[in-house]
């Protein structure tokens, strides 16, 4: 096929046809396949992927429609050190992003891309982020030479014809050019050109590096668009909570990668709390707009979940286990001899022998992990047994609370409410979290991760905070803002709070605060619950343990504020003065106030 097959595919956008032709001239693929998103196409691609060894079919009786992919062992996580924002000035990218001049990036990657698809097939993948036809949805087109990426995009996005018809003859689409090259980490670059609505990614097939709809477009580029157009693109789950009286409220919650967003978004309510029901709208990304009613409304731009497998079990996330029973792609998990999947923390005894994530024999006494710590599942949202009926609503769902959460063994209490919008922005802007296996590099080191967007804000983080503050007057019915930490530990290293489904108890307190039904206890840093205000029915937790989970330790917070001060200094003059002032006030109060 040639780019002319665009004519067959009914492509009305000249700009799209031209861009695909230019990309083909550069990369010289043997074939070009325009993906239409049909189920027959998916079948054909799956068969091809199996034939070429990219996918291993799993046991159709145990996991119907499921496949295993083993990535190159050097390509298992996002690589932030080679992820660049390519704006004309370095100042626009800010110190928390890596920056490369656009000309240099186009030229360096262009050289690598020359002839890079020779002998390979180029897939052209039109897709929609957000409900098709929603005024808030956006169109992207990804070009890739990876059939695994093409199949994954078919799960993660609304893909195919719907993208072309929504685009029509417009030139307004995100251009994502992706090529795996030879998967050499030395030639791995993920470059974003916000001014051109363009992403070039080479040298990796891994999720966040290669599924360009996800972090690259729906967060980095979209956050840039959101600043210009007056909305937010955030690293947040969206969850609906229906109380026993039948009233549903929605919460948007930002946590860094691999900190339990997927689990929280589909948690199973503890029966002792009564007839609560949880509905997932999204598990990773929220696009938030101000509605005519002055509230914030959220849509999930995605159509699938790319979740962390290890730790997912019938106990931690029974709904996820149900949705993974069929039609999913697993990456870098272990495989049992009878063609099922296994990972650490699945709470299922491993068989005496299995194949580890690299395909080698593994026994329960093996020292190495069987599944890679960042092994993943890719599953359509339609598989989710608790999917919200409002997931396709064009304007999304109204948000009652924004929650910022990190993974902190110390310092951060189980839950705390911000005093107001400015303080909430401060809490989000200064949150810290321990690093996880979702990104290459050391695990377990506390780093500042503002709004869980450190690796995903597509422009200067200080300007991003300004945007949060500048939006305030437009949000006349603002959501209340909270901070949570499920991961605090005692001196022996044991978690103080049981987490998972029990987290609903904390969310219940958050809703009670919004309804004015609980007072909480005011502290210098915000309002925390009185222990008696948390519904602990059916939960055994020692009073002292709960006290420690809720405690605010002045010395720990002085250290925290010193670290925040250093972070602000590093970011420099783009830090909004209001945040600086609040930091000074809180630091002083911690030094002087004795209450
Ligand atoms: O690999 S992804 O970036 O898509 C997942 C994550 O790290 O949040
Ligand atoms: Mn994420």
């Amino acid at each position: 096929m040639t780019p002319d097959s665009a004519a067959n595919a009914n492509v009305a956008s000249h700009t799209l046809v031209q861009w695909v032709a230019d990309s083909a001239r550069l990369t010289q693929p043997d074939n070009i396949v325009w993906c239409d998103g049909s189920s027959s196409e998916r079948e054909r691609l799956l068969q091809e992927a199996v034939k070429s060894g990219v996918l291993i079919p799993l046991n159709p009786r145990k996991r119907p429609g499921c496949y295993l992919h083993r990535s190159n062992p050097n390509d298992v996580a996002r690589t932030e050190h080679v992820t660049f924002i390519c704006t004309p000035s370095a100042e626009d990218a800010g110190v928390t992003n890596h920056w490369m001049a656009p000309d240099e990036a186009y030229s360096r990657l262009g050289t690598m891309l020359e002839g890079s698809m020779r002998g390979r097939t180029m897939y052209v993948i039109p897709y929609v982020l957000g409900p098709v036809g929603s005024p808030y949805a956006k169109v992207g087109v990804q070009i890739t030479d990876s059939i695994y990426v093409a199949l994954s995009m078919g799960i993660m996005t609304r893909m195919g014809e719907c993208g072309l018809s929504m685009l029509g003859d417009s030139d307004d689409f995100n251009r994502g050019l992706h090529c795996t090259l030879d998967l050499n980490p030395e030639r791995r670059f993920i470059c974003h050109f916000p001014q051109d609505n363009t992403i070039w990614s080479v040298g990796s097939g891994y999720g966040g590096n290669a599924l360009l709809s996800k972090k690259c477009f729906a967060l980095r580029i979209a956050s840039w668009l959101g600043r210009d157009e007056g909305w937010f693109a955030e690293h947040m789950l969206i969850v609906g909570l229906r109380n026993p009286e039948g009233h549903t409220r929605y919460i948007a919650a930002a946590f860094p990668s691999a900190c339990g967003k997927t689990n929280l978004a589909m948690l199973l309510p503890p029966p002792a709390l009564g007839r609560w029901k949880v509905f997932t709208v999204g598990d990773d990304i929220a696009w938030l707009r101000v509605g005519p009613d002055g509230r914030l409304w959220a849509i999930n731009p995605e159509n699938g979940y790319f979740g962390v497998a290890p730790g997912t079990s019938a106990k931690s996330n029974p709904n996820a286990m149900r949705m993974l029973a069929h039609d999913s792609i697993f990456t870098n998990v272990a495989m049992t001899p009878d063609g099922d999947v296994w990972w650490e923390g699945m709470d299922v005894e491993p068989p005496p022998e299995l194949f580890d994530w690299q395909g080698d024999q593994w026994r329960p006494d093996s020292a190495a992990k069987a599944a890679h710590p960042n092994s993943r599942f890719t599953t359509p949202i339609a598989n989710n047994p608790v999917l919200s009926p409002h997931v396709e609503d064009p304007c999304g769902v109204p948000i009652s609370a924004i929650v910022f959460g990190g993974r902190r063994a110390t310092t951060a209490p189980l839950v705390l409410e911000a005093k107001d919008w400015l303080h909430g922005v401060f809490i989000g802007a200064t949150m810290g979290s321990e690093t996880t296996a979702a990104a290459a590099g050391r695990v377990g080191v506390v780093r500042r991760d503002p709004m869980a967007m450190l690796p995903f804000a597509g422009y200067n983080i200080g300007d991003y905070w300004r945007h949060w503050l500048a939006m305030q007057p437009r949000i006349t019915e603002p959501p209340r803002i909270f901070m949570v930490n499920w991961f605090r530990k005692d001196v022996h290293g044991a978690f103080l709070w049981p987490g998972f489904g029990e987290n609903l108890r904390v969310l219940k307190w958050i809703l009670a605060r919004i309804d004015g039904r609980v007072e909480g206890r005011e502290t210098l840093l915000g309002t925390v619950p009185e222990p008696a205000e948390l519904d602990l029915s059916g939960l055994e937790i020692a009073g002292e343990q709960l006290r420690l989970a809720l405690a605010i330790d002045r010395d720990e917070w002085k250290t925290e504020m010193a670290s925040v001060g250093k972070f602000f200094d590093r970011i420099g003059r783009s830090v909004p003065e209001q945040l600086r002032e609040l930091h000074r006030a809180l630091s002083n109060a911690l030094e002087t106030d004795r209450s």
Side-chain angles (χ1 to χ4, degrees), residues 76-78 80 156 206-211 214-216 219-220 235 255-258 261 284-285 302 306-308 374 376 436-439 455-456:
V76 293
R78 273 184 295 103
E80 293 173 7
M156 294 306 298
Y206 171 75
N209 291 341
L211 311 179
K214 196 171 177 54
K215 308 301 179 167
C216 300
L219 285 177
R220 297 195 189 96
H235 194 203
F255 294 78
S257 302
K261 280 196 299 302
D284 194 39
I285 299 176
E302 302 191 277
F306 182 63
V308 180
N374 192 38
R376 296 270 171 167
T436 68
F456 307 125

mmCIF file of all heavy atoms in Angstrom, residues 76-78 80 156 206-211 214-216 219-220 235 255-258 261 284-285 302 306-308 374 376 436-439 455-456, ligand 1:
data_model
loop_
_atom_site.group_PDB
_atom_site.id
_atom_site.type_symbol
_atom_site.label_atom_id
_atom_site.label_comp_id
_atom_site.label_asym_id
_atom_site.label_seq_id
_atom_site.Cartn_x
_atom_site.Cartn_y
_atom_site.Cartn_z
ATOM 1 N N VAL A 76 11.374 -1.132 29.980
ATOM 2 C CA VAL A 76 10.320 -1.615 30.883
ATOM 3 C C VAL A 76 9.623 -0.513 31.669
ATOM 4 O O VAL A 76 8.764 -0.792 32.503
ATOM 5 C CB VAL A 76 10.915 -2.624 31.891
ATOM 6 C CG1 VAL A 76 11.363 -3.890 31.193
ATOM 7 C CG2 VAL A 76 12.085 -2.001 32.642
ATOM 8 N N ALA A 77 9.997 0.737 31.444
ATOM 9 C CA ALA A 77 9.426 1.833 32.234
ATOM 10 C C ALA A 77 9.623 3.149 31.478
ATOM 11 O O ALA A 77 10.390 3.204 30.515
ATOM 12 C CB ALA A 77 10.102 1.925 33.604
ATOM 13 N N ARG A 78 8.933 4.184 31.934
ATOM 14 C CA ARG A 78 9.167 5.499 31.341
ATOM 15 C C ARG A 78 10.586 5.952 31.623
ATOM 16 O O ARG A 78 11.156 5.656 32.668
ATOM 17 C CB ARG A 78 8.205 6.534 31.913
ATOM 18 C CG ARG A 78 6.882 6.617 31.199
ATOM 19 C CD ARG A 78 6.002 7.720 31.741
ATOM 20 N NE ARG A 78 5.625 7.468 33.111
ATOM 21 C CZ ARG A 78 6.154 8.061 34.165
ATOM 22 N NH1 ARG A 78 7.073 8.992 34.021
ATOM 23 N NH2 ARG A 78 5.755 7.748 35.383
ATOM 24 N N GLU A 80 12.425 9.213 32.063
ATOM 25 C CA GLU A 80 12.242 10.667 32.177
ATOM 26 C C GLU A 80 13.491 11.431 31.733
ATOM 27 O O GLU A 80 13.387 12.557 31.257
ATOM 28 C CB GLU A 80 11.865 11.016 33.625
ATOM 29 C CG GLU A 80 10.480 10.471 33.986
ATOM 30 C CD GLU A 80 10.107 10.629 35.455
ATOM 31 O OE1 GLU A 80 10.848 11.289 36.212
ATOM 32 O OE2 GLU A 80 9.062 10.072 35.850
ATOM 33 N N MET A 156 -6.533 1.563 24.418
ATOM 34 C CA MET A 156 -6.416 2.749 25.269
ATOM 35 C C MET A 156 -7.211 3.949 24.770
ATOM 36 O O MET A 156 -7.463 4.889 25.526
ATOM 37 C CB MET A 156 -4.936 3.155 25.415
ATOM 38 C CG MET A 156 -4.078 2.158 26.167
ATOM 39 S SD MET A 156 -4.717 1.721 27.795
ATOM 40 C CE MET A 156 -4.687 3.289 28.629
ATOM 41 N N TYR A 206 7.724 1.044 25.229
ATOM 42 C CA TYR A 206 7.041 1.002 26.524
ATOM 43 C C TYR A 206 5.900 2.021 26.613
ATOM 44 O O TYR A 206 6.069 3.195 26.234
ATOM 45 C CB TYR A 206 8.043 1.252 27.675
ATOM 46 C CG TYR A 206 7.288 1.429 28.972
ATOM 47 C CD1 TYR A 206 6.740 0.321 29.623
ATOM 48 C CD2 TYR A 206 7.023 2.694 29.492
ATOM 49 C CE1 TYR A 206 5.974 0.474 30.757
ATOM 50 C CE2 TYR A 206 6.259 2.853 30.638
ATOM 51 C CZ TYR A 206 5.732 1.741 31.271
ATOM 52 O OH TYR A 206 4.964 1.893 32.383
ATOM 53 N N GLY A 207 4.810 1.601 27.214
ATOM 54 C CA GLY A 207 3.591 2.393 27.434
ATOM 55 C C GLY A 207 3.758 3.895 27.374
ATOM 56 O O GLY A 207 3.526 4.526 26.341
ATOM 57 N N GLY A 208 4.154 4.478 28.499
ATOM 58 C CA GLY A 208 4.208 5.934 28.594
ATOM 59 C C GLY A 208 5.172 6.589 27.621
ATOM 60 O O GLY A 208 5.073 7.782 27.345
ATOM 61 N N ASN A 209 6.114 5.827 27.071
ATOM 62 C CA ASN A 209 7.036 6.379 26.071
ATOM 63 C C ASN A 209 6.479 6.261 24.658
ATOM 64 O O ASN A 209 6.899 7.005 23.765
ATOM 65 C CB ASN A 209 8.364 5.603 26.059
ATOM 66 C CG ASN A 209 9.199 5.817 27.303
ATOM 67 O OD1 ASN A 209 8.998 6.784 28.020
ATOM 68 N ND2 ASN A 209 10.137 4.917 27.544
ATOM 69 N N ALA A 210 5.595 5.274 24.450
ATOM 70 C CA ALA A 210 5.263 4.874 23.079
ATOM 71 C C ALA A 210 3.777 5.004 22.730
ATOM 72 O O ALA A 210 3.449 5.169 21.560
ATOM 73 C CB ALA A 210 5.711 3.431 22.844
ATOM 74 N N LEU A 211 2.894 4.881 23.716
ATOM 75 C CA LEU A 211 1.467 5.116 23.462
ATOM 76 C C LEU A 211 1.284 6.620 23.593
ATOM 77 O O LEU A 211 1.041 7.144 24.682
ATOM 78 C CB LEU A 211 0.591 4.365 24.467
ATOM 79 C CG LEU A 211 0.923 2.882 24.687
ATOM 80 C CD1 LEU A 211 -0.017 2.266 25.720
ATOM 81 C CD2 LEU A 211 0.848 2.116 23.377
ATOM 82 N N LYS A 214 -1.189 8.950 25.600
ATOM 83 C CA LYS A 214 -1.356 8.896 27.050
ATOM 84 C C LYS A 214 -0.631 10.068 27.714
ATOM 85 O O LYS A 214 -1.151 11.173 27.796
ATOM 86 C CB LYS A 214 -0.896 7.523 27.549
ATOM 87 C CG LYS A 214 -1.371 7.191 28.944
ATOM 88 C CD LYS A 214 -1.074 5.750 29.296
ATOM 89 C CE LYS A 214 -1.471 5.398 30.711
ATOM 90 N NZ LYS A 214 -2.845 5.684 31.087
ATOM 91 N N LYS A 215 0.566 9.825 28.207
ATOM 92 C CA LYS A 215 1.258 10.897 28.931
ATOM 93 C C LYS A 215 1.663 12.028 27.981
ATOM 94 O O LYS A 215 1.654 13.197 28.346
ATOM 95 C CB LYS A 215 2.491 10.355 29.640
ATOM 96 C CG LYS A 215 2.223 9.156 30.512
ATOM 97 C CD LYS A 215 1.219 9.444 31.587
ATOM 98 C CE LYS A 215 0.966 8.184 32.406
ATOM 99 N NZ LYS A 215 0.255 8.407 33.632
ATOM 100 N N CYS A 216 2.044 11.655 26.747
ATOM 101 C CA CYS A 216 2.601 12.656 25.829
ATOM 102 C C CYS A 216 1.533 13.658 25.384
ATOM 103 O O CYS A 216 1.727 14.861 25.498
ATOM 104 C CB CYS A 216 3.240 11.974 24.624
ATOM 105 S SG CYS A 216 4.594 10.863 25.069
ATOM 106 N N LEU A 219 -1.502 14.435 28.653
ATOM 107 C CA LEU A 219 -0.997 15.228 29.777
ATOM 108 C C LEU A 219 -0.040 16.347 29.328
ATOM 109 O O LEU A 219 -0.327 17.521 29.538
ATOM 110 C CB LEU A 219 -0.314 14.336 30.820
ATOM 111 C CG LEU A 219 -1.293 13.531 31.683
ATOM 112 C CD1 LEU A 219 -0.554 12.622 32.646
ATOM 113 C CD2 LEU A 219 -2.248 14.452 32.457
ATOM 114 N N ARG A 220 1.084 15.995 28.685
ATOM 115 C CA ARG A 220 2.074 17.064 28.442
ATOM 116 C C ARG A 220 1.550 18.097 27.449
ATOM 117 O O ARG A 220 1.523 19.291 27.732
ATOM 118 C CB ARG A 220 3.407 16.461 27.974
ATOM 119 C CG ARG A 220 4.041 15.575 29.034
ATOM 120 C CD ARG A 220 5.503 15.256 28.771
ATOM 121 N NE ARG A 220 5.946 14.237 29.709
ATOM 122 C CZ ARG A 220 5.992 12.920 29.435
ATOM 123 N NH1 ARG A 220 5.664 12.476 28.222
ATOM 124 N NH2 ARG A 220 6.388 12.068 30.351
ATOM 125 N N HIS A 235 -3.151 14.512 36.071
ATOM 126 C CA HIS A 235 -2.826 13.099 36.311
ATOM 127 C C HIS A 235 -3.730 12.593 37.439
ATOM 128 O O HIS A 235 -3.259 12.321 38.540
ATOM 129 C CB HIS A 235 -1.346 13.006 36.695
ATOM 130 C CG HIS A 235 -0.784 11.620 36.659
ATOM 131 N ND1 HIS A 235 0.321 11.256 37.386
ATOM 132 C CD2 HIS A 235 -1.162 10.516 35.963
ATOM 133 C CE1 HIS A 235 0.602 9.983 37.157
ATOM 134 N NE2 HIS A 235 -0.277 9.517 36.294
ATOM 135 N N PHE A 255 -2.417 11.077 42.075
ATOM 136 C CA PHE A 255 -1.344 10.338 42.741
ATOM 137 C C PHE A 255 -0.267 10.065 41.692
ATOM 138 O O PHE A 255 -0.608 9.846 40.534
ATOM 139 C CB PHE A 255 -1.817 8.962 43.239
ATOM 140 C CG PHE A 255 -2.843 8.982 44.321
ATOM 141 C CD1 PHE A 255 -4.167 9.243 44.031
ATOM 142 C CD2 PHE A 255 -2.490 8.713 45.634
ATOM 143 C CE1 PHE A 255 -5.129 9.231 45.026
ATOM 144 C CE2 PHE A 255 -3.447 8.708 46.632
ATOM 145 C CZ PHE A 255 -4.767 8.971 46.335
ATOM 146 N N PRO A 256 0.993 9.996 42.109
ATOM 147 C CA PRO A 256 2.031 9.626 41.146
ATOM 148 C C PRO A 256 1.798 8.221 40.587
ATOM 149 O O PRO A 256 0.978 7.458 41.120
ATOM 150 C CB PRO A 256 3.317 9.677 41.985
ATOM 151 C CG PRO A 256 2.997 10.585 43.125
ATOM 152 C CD PRO A 256 1.540 10.360 43.418
ATOM 153 N N SER A 257 2.538 7.879 39.541
ATOM 154 C CA SER A 257 2.412 6.565 38.917
ATOM 155 C C SER A 257 2.659 5.465 39.939
ATOM 156 O O SER A 257 3.546 5.578 40.799
ATOM 157 C CB SER A 257 3.447 6.431 37.799
ATOM 158 O OG SER A 257 3.264 7.448 36.858
ATOM 159 N N ALA A 258 1.891 4.392 39.812
ATOM 160 C CA ALA A 258 2.068 3.200 40.661
ATOM 161 C C ALA A 258 1.860 3.495 42.146
ATOM 162 O O ALA A 258 2.554 2.957 43.003
ATOM 163 C CB ALA A 258 3.432 2.550 40.418
ATOM 164 N N LYS A 261 -3.835 4.532 41.911
ATOM 165 C CA LYS A 261 -4.975 5.237 41.302
ATOM 166 C C LYS A 261 -6.007 4.255 40.772
ATOM 167 O O LYS A 261 -7.203 4.418 40.971
ATOM 168 C CB LYS A 261 -4.507 6.156 40.160
ATOM 169 C CG LYS A 261 -3.923 7.481 40.635
ATOM 170 C CD LYS A 261 -3.827 8.527 39.523
ATOM 171 C CE LYS A 261 -2.935 8.120 38.379
ATOM 172 N NZ LYS A 261 -1.551 7.824 38.751
ATOM 173 N N ASP A 284 -6.562 7.405 35.463
ATOM 174 C CA ASP A 284 -5.206 7.957 35.301
ATOM 175 C C ASP A 284 -5.189 9.429 34.898
ATOM 176 O O ASP A 284 -4.343 10.173 35.355
ATOM 177 C CB ASP A 284 -4.452 7.141 34.249
ATOM 178 C CG ASP A 284 -2.950 7.416 34.241
ATOM 179 O OD1 ASP A 284 -2.375 7.582 35.339
ATOM 180 O OD2 ASP A 284 -2.354 7.481 33.151
ATOM 181 N N ILE A 285 -6.115 9.827 34.024
ATOM 182 C CA ILE A 285 -6.047 11.178 33.477
ATOM 183 C C ILE A 285 -7.434 11.814 33.495
ATOM 184 O O ILE A 285 -8.429 11.166 33.149
ATOM 185 C CB ILE A 285 -5.493 11.155 32.035
ATOM 186 C CG1 ILE A 285 -4.067 10.558 32.036
ATOM 187 C CG2 ILE A 285 -5.481 12.559 31.426
ATOM 188 C CD1 ILE A 285 -3.449 10.387 30.676
ATOM 189 N N GLU A 302 -9.343 8.814 28.121
ATOM 190 C CA GLU A 302 -8.917 7.490 27.662
ATOM 191 C C GLU A 302 -10.091 6.516 27.528
ATOM 192 O O GLU A 302 -11.197 6.766 27.999
ATOM 193 C CB GLU A 302 -7.885 6.913 28.629
ATOM 194 C CG GLU A 302 -6.665 7.813 28.774
ATOM 195 C CD GLU A 302 -5.536 7.125 29.505
ATOM 196 O OE1 GLU A 302 -5.532 7.103 30.745
ATOM 197 O OE2 GLU A 302 -4.643 6.607 28.811
ATOM 198 N N PHE A 306 -4.104 1.154 31.673
ATOM 199 C CA PHE A 306 -2.750 0.612 31.553
ATOM 200 C C PHE A 306 -2.231 0.531 32.983
ATOM 201 O O PHE A 306 -1.599 1.455 33.472
ATOM 202 C CB PHE A 306 -1.905 1.542 30.674
ATOM 203 C CG PHE A 306 -0.502 1.064 30.425
ATOM 204 C CD1 PHE A 306 -0.267 -0.119 29.734
ATOM 205 C CD2 PHE A 306 0.586 1.793 30.871
ATOM 206 C CE1 PHE A 306 1.040 -0.554 29.492
ATOM 207 C CE2 PHE A 306 1.888 1.367 30.636
ATOM 208 C CZ PHE A 306 2.113 0.191 29.954
ATOM 209 N N GLY A 307 -2.591 -0.554 33.670
ATOM 210 C CA GLY A 307 -2.378 -0.607 35.116
ATOM 211 C C GLY A 307 -1.214 -1.489 35.513
ATOM 212 O O GLY A 307 -0.766 -2.354 34.758
ATOM 213 N N VAL A 308 -0.736 -1.264 36.741
ATOM 214 C CA VAL A 308 0.366 -2.055 37.284
ATOM 215 C C VAL A 308 -0.186 -3.408 37.743
ATOM 216 O O VAL A 308 -1.138 -3.456 38.529
ATOM 217 C CB VAL A 308 0.995 -1.336 38.494
ATOM 218 C CG1 VAL A 308 2.139 -2.152 39.071
ATOM 219 C CG2 VAL A 308 1.471 0.047 38.096
ATOM 220 N N ASN A 374 7.233 -3.381 37.270
ATOM 221 C CA ASN A 374 6.386 -2.466 36.504
ATOM 222 C C ASN A 374 5.655 -3.213 35.382
ATOM 223 O O ASN A 374 5.322 -2.629 34.354
ATOM 224 C CB ASN A 374 7.209 -1.310 35.930
ATOM 225 C CG ASN A 374 6.331 -0.186 35.390
ATOM 226 O OD1 ASN A 374 5.288 0.132 35.978
ATOM 227 N ND2 ASN A 374 6.718 0.413 34.272
ATOM 228 N N ARG A 376 2.530 -4.797 33.458
ATOM 229 C CA ARG A 376 1.297 -4.033 33.235
ATOM 230 C C ARG A 376 0.205 -4.874 32.599
ATOM 231 O O ARG A 376 0.478 -5.878 31.952
ATOM 232 C CB ARG A 376 1.607 -2.865 32.283
ATOM 233 C CG ARG A 376 2.595 -1.847 32.848
ATOM 234 C CD ARG A 376 1.870 -0.783 33.578
ATOM 235 N NE ARG A 376 2.741 0.122 34.323
ATOM 236 C CZ ARG A 376 2.315 1.272 34.836
ATOM 237 N NH1 ARG A 376 1.066 1.651 34.670
ATOM 238 N NH2 ARG A 376 3.115 2.045 35.536
ATOM 239 N N THR A 436 8.705 5.186 42.300
ATOM 240 C CA THR A 436 8.255 3.799 42.087
ATOM 241 C C THR A 436 8.890 3.252 40.807
ATOM 242 O O THR A 436 9.584 3.969 40.091
ATOM 243 C CB THR A 436 6.723 3.739 41.921
ATOM 244 O OG1 THR A 436 6.378 4.380 40.687
ATOM 245 C CG2 THR A 436 6.008 4.417 43.070
ATOM 246 N N ALA A 437 8.578 1.968 40.537
ATOM 247 C CA ALA A 437 9.164 1.294 39.374
ATOM 248 C C ALA A 437 8.558 1.765 38.052
ATOM 249 O O ALA A 437 8.988 1.332 36.984
ATOM 250 C CB ALA A 437 8.981 -0.215 39.501
ATOM 251 N N ALA A 438 7.574 2.675 38.103
ATOM 252 C CA ALA A 438 6.953 3.134 36.848
ATOM 253 C C ALA A 438 7.918 3.964 36.007
ATOM 254 O O ALA A 438 7.729 4.120 34.815
ATOM 255 C CB ALA A 438 5.700 3.943 37.143
ATOM 256 N N ALA A 439 8.943 4.519 36.662
ATOM 257 C CA ALA A 439 9.946 5.263 35.910
ATOM 258 C C ALA A 439 11.304 4.635 36.190
ATOM 259 O O ALA A 439 11.556 4.142 37.293
ATOM 260 C CB ALA A 439 9.947 6.726 36.317
ATOM 261 N N PRO A 455 6.547 14.554 36.091
ATOM 262 C CA PRO A 455 7.031 14.106 34.786
ATOM 263 C C PRO A 455 6.085 14.442 33.631
ATOM 264 O O PRO A 455 6.373 14.085 32.497
ATOM 265 C CB PRO A 455 7.119 12.575 34.946
ATOM 266 C CG PRO A 455 6.520 12.227 36.261
ATOM 267 C CD PRO A 455 5.943 13.445 36.866
ATOM 268 N N PHE A 456 4.965 15.094 33.913
ATOM 269 C CA PHE A 456 3.923 15.223 32.884
ATOM 270 C C PHE A 456 3.484 16.645 32.556
ATOM 271 O O PHE A 456 2.722 16.838 31.614
ATOM 272 C CB PHE A 456 2.688 14.413 33.300
ATOM 273 C CG PHE A 456 2.992 12.976 33.648
ATOM 274 C CD1 PHE A 456 2.632 12.440 34.869
ATOM 275 C CD2 PHE A 456 3.667 12.166 32.741
ATOM 276 C CE1 PHE A 456 2.921 11.110 35.192
ATOM 277 C CE2 PHE A 456 3.966 10.836 33.055
ATOM 278 C CZ PHE A 456 3.596 10.315 34.287
HETATM 279 O O1 LIG B 1 3.832 4.149 31.527
HETATM 280 S S1 LIG B 1 2.804 5.112 31.849
HETATM 281 O O2 LIG B 1 3.413 6.434 31.901
HETATM 282 O O3 LIG B 1 1.787 5.089 30.839
HETATM 283 C C1 LIG B 1 2.109 4.718 33.333
HETATM 284 C C2 LIG B 1 2.578 5.606 34.385
HETATM 285 O O4 LIG B 1 3.776 5.642 34.657
HETATM 286 O O5 LIG B 1 1.746 6.320 34.985
#
